[in-house]
Amino acid sequence: MSASETIHVDGVWLPAASGDTREVLDPADATIIQLVAEGGAQDADAAVAAAARAFDGGAGVWPRTPVAERAALLRRVADLLQRDREEIALIESRDTGKTLEEGRVDVDDVTNAFRYFADVVTNESGGRVVDAGSADVHSVVVHEPVGVCALITPWNYPLLQASWKIAPALAAGNTFVIKPSEVTPLSTVHLIRLLVAAGLPAGVANLVTGAGVPVGARLAEHPDVDLFSFTGGLVSGTKAGQAAVAGAKKIALELGGKNPNVVFADACATEEGFDTAVDQALNAAFIHSGQVCSAGARLIIEESVRDRFVTELARRAERIKLGRGTEDGVECGPLVSQQQLDKVEAYVASALAEGARLRCGGARPEPSEVRPATGYFYPPTVLDGCHREMTVVREETFGPILTVETFTTEDEAVALANDTEYGLAGAVFSADTARARRVAARLRHGTVWINDYHPYLPQAEWGGFGKSGIGRELGPTGLDEYRESKHIYENLRPAPVRWFAG
């Protein structure tokens, strides 16, 4: 297998049908990591055909594989992920720019996702008995796999997002075609290799590397795809979702967020509370250089503590060690691409033009031994004096930009936090438990943290309100996205109905 044979169809690693390749770059210095196959519509068609055969053709053994065997395979994959933990973390760090430690955390989270869905399907009952009101009727609702699933994943957490789709899809008995982002495909290629090594039958897992157009677009519209699951940007996701809906497919869309981090003054009443709230605000905004769909990019802070809080926040943000993610001591890596760097610079420029006040960051850093001049580095940036009319406050920037808004009352805090077309995640920091829970209940966001930011659990659903998407990943609902419900009604004492006299 050559480095550019990254298309996996029916158990075989292949180059693109066109022979085209794409360079995958290291964002720390813009050097080439690897050439990968640049697939097209023909490759997507071949992958869907293989998945369809593996689902309900002559080779369609996976949907009929006993649940215990499917779960055992997922657990073998989890073990292999831990075996290759350091190798995968390095792949993810070099491909996305994140630190090695973040890459290790990702591998552990992926491992937990595979083990969780293995446990869920193992512990389920055979179906839900429905009382039909008669001893002569046996009525039960069962779950069956949807069929062929098309899975589209983003560039920021390629391995993690792949696992959130692949693990429940396989647990439910589906086959799939996955298209990772063309910017960061390498860890997904490795994951498919682990699925093969774990014993997954040929054709169940198929991979096409390539661009959203034509590969993703073809998967969205393909008549033999039964479910379309997309994680990515609002514009491209909406367009792909429309194409999928036109074919009456089941769809699941996770389209990002613009997430509020609400800090009440009472959270800062003690030195420990103040330190914790500042620290968590940094984590919320600047983990993975802010390239996180749930990043707490909007700090909404009570006016009475704003000056002290933002001053300390900016001081600490300036001290974050920016550099190549594989270097010891680096806390924040580069942005993923030149395109993303240009986008972040444009957002900061627009914010300053609209009246925001720069507290730190705001310009590319000087090159250093751990920050090559050719890398896509941008420092943590804090913009004070922001308001909802600013573009940088309304739109998802996907970069290390933290905007600051203020409030004076609880109602005002809630109104600001909910004043977004998105609704993925948010947080409330308060020493008043009743207030924190009250505000959390009023926030229109799919995940709300209280006195914390970013942790998630594979057993808890993930997804958003509003334009953050449709459907949920993780948790029992995340498994149900990949299944159809079937009602089986059995008459135990069949007899003529005599509805018609003749």
Side-chain angles (χ1 to χ4, degrees):
M1 171 183 172
S2 73
S4 61
E5 290 179 340
T6 54
I7 291 175
H8 188 74
V9 175
D10 209 9
V12 180
W13 290 99
L14 301 165
S18 64
D20 292 342
T21 59
R22 174 186 290 267
E23 296 174 348
V24 177
L25 303 181
D26 184 335
D29 57 15
T31 58
I32 299 171
I33 303 174
Q34 183 179 324
L35 291 178
V36 297
E38 181 71 355
Q42 183 178 346
D43 303 292
D45 286 347
V48 171
R53 288 192 301 271
F55 184 76
D56 56 12
V61 297
W62 186 248
R64 299 191 296 274
T65 299
V67 167
E69 292 183 27
R70 296 204 302 263
L73 183 134
L74 295 183
R75 293 190 181 102
R76 289 197 295 274
V77 173
D79 292 342
L80 291 171
L81 284 161
Q82 285 301 298
R83 182 199 69 183
D84 293 355
R85 183 174 185 257
E86 288 302 309
E87 179 184 359
I88 299 171
L90 179 59
I91 291 171
E92 203 75 328
S93 176
R94 292 197 65 201
D95 205 4
T96 68
K98 66 181 59 178
T99 66
L100 265 175
E101 187 55 36
E102 288 176 276
R104 294 182 185 109
V105 171
D106 285 356
V107 178
D108 292 342
D109 287 345
V110 169
T111 301
N112 291 337
F114 273 91
R115 288 176 176 159
Y116 168 73
F117 284 109
D119 291 343
V120 168
V121 293
T122 300
N123 295 327
E124 285 185 323
S125 62
R128 177 169 55 90
V129 175
V130 178
D131 185 0
S134 171
D136 295 336
V137 173
H138 179 259
S139 182
V140 62
V141 174
V142 297
H143 297 292
E144 296 185 356
V146 172
V148 176
C149 303
L151 314 176
I152 311 295
T153 54
W155 49 257
N156 60 330
Y157 282 87
L159 185 69
L160 186 70
Q161 294 294 330
S163 75
W164 286 13
K165 300 179 191 299
I166 289 174
L170 291 179
N174 298 285
T175 62
F176 69 84
V177 180
I178 188 167
K179 190 208 86 66
S181 167
E182 62 271 28
V183 180
T184 56
L186 301 182
S187 60
T188 305
V189 172
H190 192 95
L191 179 57
I192 298 298
R193 291 186 183 129
L194 295 188
L195 291 172
V196 173
L200 192 66
V204 176
N206 303 275
L207 163 70
V208 182
T209 50
V213 177
V215 178
R218 179 55 181 156
L219 292 175
E221 69 182 13
H222 201 293
D224 293 334
V225 167
D226 301 293
L227 177 146
F228 180 75
S229 178
F230 176 99
T231 300
L234 176 61
V235 175
S236 56
T238 300
K239 186 175 181 179
Q242 289 170 341
V245 168
K249 294 174 178 57
K250 192 173 184 181
I251 65 169
L253 306 175
E254 203 269 78
L255 305 178
K258 190 65 179 178
N259 313 289
N261 180 21
V262 179
V263 179
F264 284 90
D266 59 34
C268 306
T270 66
E271 286 304 311
E272 182 180 4
F274 177 80
D275 176 62
T276 297
V278 172
D279 177 76
Q280 289 282 6
L282 292 169
N283 294 339
F286 301 129
I287 290 290
H288 192 17
S289 294
Q291 299 171 118
V292 185
C293 59
S294 56
R298 295 177 60 205
L299 173 63
I300 300 174
I301 186 160
E302 192 163 352
E303 179 65 44
S304 62
V305 294
R306 171 250 194 93
D307 289 343
R308 181 188 177 212
F309 193 97
V310 176
T311 297
E312 178 62 12
L313 181 72
R315 185 189 72 81
R316 295 191 197 183
E318 285 184 322
R319 299 177 65 186
I320 292 174
K321 296 176 182 176
L322 184 65
R324 186 189 295 271
T326 55
E327 295 288 338
D328 290 340
V330 166
E331 298 171 314
C332 203
L335 298 177
V336 76
S337 66
Q338 181 66 52
Q339 179 183 12
Q340 195 62 22
L341 176 58
D342 293 343
K343 179 181 174 182
V344 166
E345 286 189 310
Y347 273 119
V348 172
S350 74
L352 297 178
E354 292 173 352
R357 183 159 61 100
L358 184 67
R359 299 296 297 266
C360 70
R364 298 190 196 187
E366 290 295 321
S368 70
E369 186 175 342
V370 296
R371 284 195 306 271
T374 51
Y376 310 129
F377 295 99
Y378 200 84
T381 298
V382 177
L383 297 169
D384 201 357
C386 295
H387 54 78
R388 289 294 297 131
E389 285 69 38
M390 291 179 174
T391 303
V392 73
V393 176
R394 295 195 313 271
E395 297 183 6
E396 187 176 36
T397 59
F398 243 67
I401 302 173
L402 178 63
T403 61
V404 181
E405 303 163 75
T406 61
F407 66 90
T408 56
T409 68
E410 182 178 312
D411 286 344
E412 186 183 3
V414 171
L416 282 171
N418 284 337
D419 187 10
T420 172
E421 63 182 359
Y422 294 100
L424 182 61
V428 182
F429 281 80
S430 176
D432 184 335
T433 300
R435 166 188 274 170
R437 293 177 179 174
R438 185 169 62 243
V439 171
R442 296 175 66 189
L443 294 185
R444 297 281 295 167
H445 299 273
T447 294
V448 179
W449 296 285
I450 295 177
N451 296 329
D452 210 331
Y453 209 102
H454 277 317
Y456 80 93
L457 305 172
Q459 59 268 37
E461 282 76 1
W462 179 268
F465 295 12
K467 290 186 178 180
S468 282
I470 298 170
R472 291 293 185 268
E473 295 187 296
L474 302 179
T477 308
L479 178 63
D480 287 342
E481 295 283 357
Y482 292 89
R483 303 195 294 194
E484 296 283 12
S485 296
K486 177 186 285 186
H487 178 205
I488 300 176
Y489 180 104
E490 181 182 3
N491 188 338
L492 303 176
R493 294 173 61 87
V497 178
R498 304 301 184 194
W499 186 270
F500 300 106

